[in-house]
Amino acid sequence: MSKIKILVTGVVPEAGLAELRKNFTVDCKPEKAGRDWVLAHLPEYDGLILMGLQGDRELIDAGTNLKIITAIGVGFDHIDIEYAKQKKIVVTNCPQSVLIPTAEMTFALILATVRRLHFYDKTIREGKWVSVSKPENMGTGLQGKTLGIYGMGRIGSQVAKYAQVFSMKVIYHNRHQLSSEKEAKMKVNYVDFATLVKTADVITLHAPATPATTGVFNKQVFQQMKKTAYIINAARGKLIKQTDLIAALQNGDIAGAGLDVYETEPEVPSALRALDNVVLSPHAGAGTQEARTSVTAEAAQNLISYFRDHRLINQVNK
């Protein structure tokens, strides 16, 4: 067992690696070592916790001894999972640990966006006072409004619960409709995509980035949304065509946006940064001390389960 070697490419809490270190030899990438270092040394390793690098064909080819890659987090669109499958490399993710923190971030972005906290904060820091007696300076309340959820998985379901605390009506669109029993229990209603877009006062995104979902929120969709509506994305940046979103925000096609993810991270266009009707966050959905430790431990458990227990969990390239 001690011969099995695991490489960790990102900066993760050491506490999350404790159990992994009991079972295997674990190396964290030297702080100043970049992708070239990883490519050169990857043949030495059996397992990989991948963070901060693209798991493309070049990296997969370099892992001549790799048996498993685990992404830290629920998203795995940075890994070529089909090519890994061809190379007989298992790819796993960590869906449990990011659920609550990402749902919390989503709702933080909703509140910050509809209540215009960025605009208020910026103005006061400039030494000015904002009169909220003027309609143009007012925010929007959530009570009685409709939340449209795109992707009713674990995170979307948690956001729905939070929304109902604020007395919001919840509609959703998903690849598969939930059972009528689940819908009744969750107090949500399924609608088609066109109805979601036209009806919702706030739309939150919780779908993975796939060929089918990439750019699904684009110019045509923004033009169908209410001019008073907001869009919130703490899922994957590729779900939104960024240039179309910027134009929609500039033109007043929609009221605002709250973004934790971007189409070309870590680059955020200056045109987006210049807007007062946008709240921006640096992909911090799971960026809490508790969540980072938990997701690292979940990634570690994927490897422990595979190598020690000969059992696959959280596999995404079956």
Side-chain angles (χ1 to χ4, degrees):
M1 191 67 67
S2 61
K3 293 181 180 180
I4 290 176
K5 294 184 66 177
I6 308 297
L7 177 64
V8 182
T9 65
V11 179
V12 299
E14 184 60 34
L17 297 174
E19 192 64 24
L20 194 65
R21 289 193 184 280
K22 290 179 184 178
N23 290 274
F24 315 118
T25 299
V26 180
D27 294 332
C28 291
K29 178 176 68 69
E31 188 175 345
K32 294 183 179 180
R35 180 180 173 88
D36 289 343
W37 185 95
V38 172
L39 293 176
H41 291 80
L42 198 55
E44 304 169 21
Y45 296 93
D46 305 279
L48 175 65
I49 294 180
L50 186 63
M51 181 181 179
L53 292 175
Q54 290 293 314
D56 52 20
R57 293 192 173 208
E58 182 184 38
L59 183 138
I60 290 169
D61 283 338
T64 53
N65 199 42
L66 274 183
K67 281 85 174 176
I68 181 170
I69 300 170
T70 186
I72 286 201
V74 67
F76 50 86
D77 53 304
H78 59 302
I79 302 173
D80 191 332
I81 63 171
E82 291 304 319
Y83 190 63
K85 184 177 180 180
Q86 291 177 33
K87 294 288 186 174
K88 302 189 185 319
I89 298 172
V90 172
V91 179
T92 62
N93 69 341
C94 303
Q96 300 299 328
S97 302
V98 300
L99 194 164
I100 296 298
T102 304
E104 288 177 346
M105 174 60 82
T106 298
F107 224 85
L109 287 171
I110 292 174
L111 287 167
T113 304
V114 304
R115 295 305 303 266
R116 305 192 67 189
L117 293 189
H118 164 69
F119 170 64
Y120 295 155
D121 180 81
K122 177 186 174 185
T123 306
I124 288 177
R125 288 178 189 277
E126 291 173 347
K128 304 172 187 176
W129 188 257
V130 178
S131 172
V132 292
S133 296
K134 298 179 179 180
E136 63 267 25
N137 292 333
M138 294 179 182
T140 299
L142 295 178
Q143 186 177 16
K145 297 297 195 304
T146 296
L147 175 67
I149 294 178
Y150 179 74
M152 186 61 90
R154 286 180 287 260
I155 296 172
S157 298
Q158 188 65 37
V159 171
K161 292 179 184 178
Y162 292 161
Q164 287 159 359
V165 173
F166 285 81
S167 300
M168 297 185 79
K169 174 185 175 182
V170 179
I171 60 176
Y172 77 96
H173 181 76
N174 200 49
R175 185 172 52 176
H176 303 294
Q177 184 175 356
L178 302 178
S179 67
S180 56
E181 292 79 12
K182 273 192 174 182
E183 288 185 340
K185 183 178 180 180
M186 294 173 61
K187 300 178 183 178
V188 300
N189 293 301
Y190 176 85
V191 295
D192 60 32
F193 183 69
T195 301
L196 182 95
V197 168
K198 294 175 183 177
T199 305
D201 297 295
V202 179
I203 296 177
T204 60
L205 312 187
H206 307 287
T210 67
T213 62
T214 296
V216 67
F217 284 86
N218 52 39
K219 178 180 179 180
Q220 290 72 31
V221 170
F222 295 133
Q223 289 177 341
Q224 293 173 41
M225 289 172 62
K226 296 179 179 180
K227 289 187 178 295
T228 54
Y230 300 83
I231 189 164
I232 308 296
N233 190 8
R236 311 309 287 177
K238 291 180 181 179
L239 299 179
I240 295 177
K241 191 170 182 182
Q242 205 159 254
T243 54
D244 290 357
L245 174 63
I246 292 169
L249 292 165
Q250 291 172 333
N251 299 336
D253 292 333
I254 61 174
L259 305 174
D260 186 46
V261 291
Y262 309 89
E263 193 172 11
T264 55
E265 294 181 16
E267 291 80 21
V268 179
S270 58
L272 192 59
R273 290 185 275 117
L275 295 167
D276 281 336
N277 55 349
V278 183
V279 175
L280 306 173
S281 177
H283 205 145
T288 66
Q289 294 178 10
E290 299 86 352
R292 283 297 184 192
T293 300
S294 179
V295 75
T296 302
E298 187 174 358
Q301 189 56 51
N302 288 344
L303 297 171
I304 293 169
S305 179
Y306 177 81
F307 285 115
R308 187 191 69 188
D309 303 333
H310 308 292
R311 183 170 61 93
L312 277 172
I313 55 175
N314 298 324
Q315 185 179 7
V316 296
N317 67 337
K318 298 178 182 179

